[in-house]
Amino acid sequence: RTGPEWLGVNKLVAGYGAEPVLHGISLKVRQGEMVALLGANGAGKSTLMRALAGLHPVQAGGVHLDGQALEKMPAEAIVRQGLVLVPEGRQVFPELSVQDNIRLGAFLCPADRETRLEEMFERFPRLRERRHQRAGLLSGGEQQMLAVARGLMSRPRVLLLDEPSLGLAPKIIDELFAALDQLRRENMTIVLVDQMAALALSLADRAYVIEGGRVMAEGTAREIAASPELADAYLGAS
Ligand code: ATP
């Protein structure tokens, strides 16, 4: 995957109050690439994902997608530009039905909503079976699929996935990663944060290792997976 740079993050600084958590993070993602972000708890991965999506203020540095600067845009405008975050913890609306949760992802394209909903049911047949159920009754894995489906409703150009496998049983993680692999084969550009580092590296093209709000290593997924220091630090758990 050697296309031009598509999503770029340039020396991004963000934090909570006066204290930065991200100390100048730079990333490059090419169109159609899957890039994994690895790092221990507290490294700043979720803060980075939220900052990219316009859900956390950027103190300095820039984010661009296909030449367009995003760092000052509100979150909705960033979705309009085609960058969508599937947040950690899924954040489905438990009282709404499965299909109504998915429909919420189509707020920018109401006229296409029902067609796209059907596409999501083709992609995630489990969700079709449960379309009328309250989302709160789904298993964790089904809720994660729901969160991904909702994110895909706006037909993003880049999908950011924050810890999609968190708390899921191994069998459902395999199913979820099969869905991510399918998206990758459809040439979706994906940035994936996941504690299941070995699994994430098995799908990703490249990876960045983030430590204390800085990029500590980057390389092809194969290089990162083969690095002994990184294997000790990050791959032991998965
Ligand atoms: P995890 O995998 O645990 O989510 P992470 O790499 O995603 O880790 P972040 O959640 O981005 O890390 O957190 C980075 C740092 O920012 C941590 O030191 C954390 O304590 C701090 N932090 C996160 N959220 C807040 C907050 N709302 N207020 C203050 N500090 C925060």
Side-chain angles (χ1 to χ4, degrees), residues 20-96:
V21 162
L22 305 179
H23 302 273
I25 295 259
S26 298
L27 311 171
K28 287 182 180 158
V29 181
R30 296 187 189 92
Q31 194 169 7
E33 244 189 344
M34 184 190 277
V35 169
L37 303 184
L38 309 179
N41 287 338
K45 305 175 303 292
S46 293
T47 306
L48 173 60
M49 298 290 253
R50 291 175 49 77
L52 298 182
L55 298 170
H56 191 88
V58 170
Q59 290 169 4
V63 179
H64 59 85
L65 174 60
D66 193 21
Q68 182 85 39
L70 304 185
E71 70 275 1
K72 294 193 177 66
M73 287 185 185
E76 185 181 320
I78 292 176
V79 173
R80 214 178 282 279
Q81 289 299 319
L83 187 135
V84 166
L85 170 66
V86 178
E88 184 173 354
R90 322 194 248 277
Q91 300 180 23
V92 305
F93 293 90
E95 300 300 327
L96 292 184

Side-chain angles (χ1 to χ4, degrees), residues 37 44 58 141 160 166 175 190 192 224:
L37 303 184
V58 170
L160 308 178
L166 196 68
E175 203 173 313
I190 299 174
L192 170 67
I224 299 288

Side-chain angles (χ1 to χ4, degrees), residues 87-118:
E88 184 173 354
R90 322 194 248 277
Q91 300 180 23
V92 305
F93 293 90
E95 300 300 327
L96 292 184
S97 69
V98 167
Q99 61 184 10
D100 283 348
N101 267 276
I102 300 175
R103 283 173 173 141
L104 291 175
F107 65 99
L108 294 176
C109 50
D112 282 348
R113 199 178 70 177
E114 297 309 302
T115 318
R116 294 186 189 190
L117 180 65
E118 283 307 311

